[in-house]
Amino acid sequence: MSKIKIPVALIWGKNDKITPPEVAVEFNQLLPDSELNWIDLCGHAPMMERPTEFNEILSKFLEKIKV
């Protein structure tokens, strides 16, 4: 993962039972240019479970990296 040099948005459900939150923290530490965003009351699929929040986070991230 340390070879990934592009900006990465990690958008994670705090109640993810498939890939638990501690994995998100580890990914955030291993990816040199990542930011970790949490979505409360959300499981493994934030893009489907909480699409409005997911899209807001993603939009802000894309604006920040100027995409």
Side-chain angles (χ1 to χ4, degrees):
M1 290 180 89
S2 64
K3 293 181 181 183
I4 298 173
K5 303 298 183 193
I6 61 171
V8 176
L10 299 167
I11 305 173
W12 220 275
K14 280 196 169 181
N15 301 105
D16 190 337
K17 302 292 187 225
I18 296 169
T19 312
E22 47 275 8
V23 175
V25 173
E26 183 178 357
F27 281 10
N28 190 42
Q29 292 169 346
L30 293 173
L31 290 163
D33 193 9
S34 66
E35 64 178 49
L36 177 54
N37 302 275
W38 297 106
I39 298 184
D40 291 326
L41 305 172
C42 183
H44 185 66
M47 72 293 289
M48 293 187 294
E49 295 174 46
R50 307 292 286 255
T52 301
E53 291 175 60
F54 179 89
N55 287 330
E56 287 173 6
I57 293 167
L58 182 58
S59 291
K60 287 178 186 176
F61 176 77
L62 294 174
E63 284 177 26
K64 179 180 168 182
I65 64 168
K66 303 191 186 333
V67 171

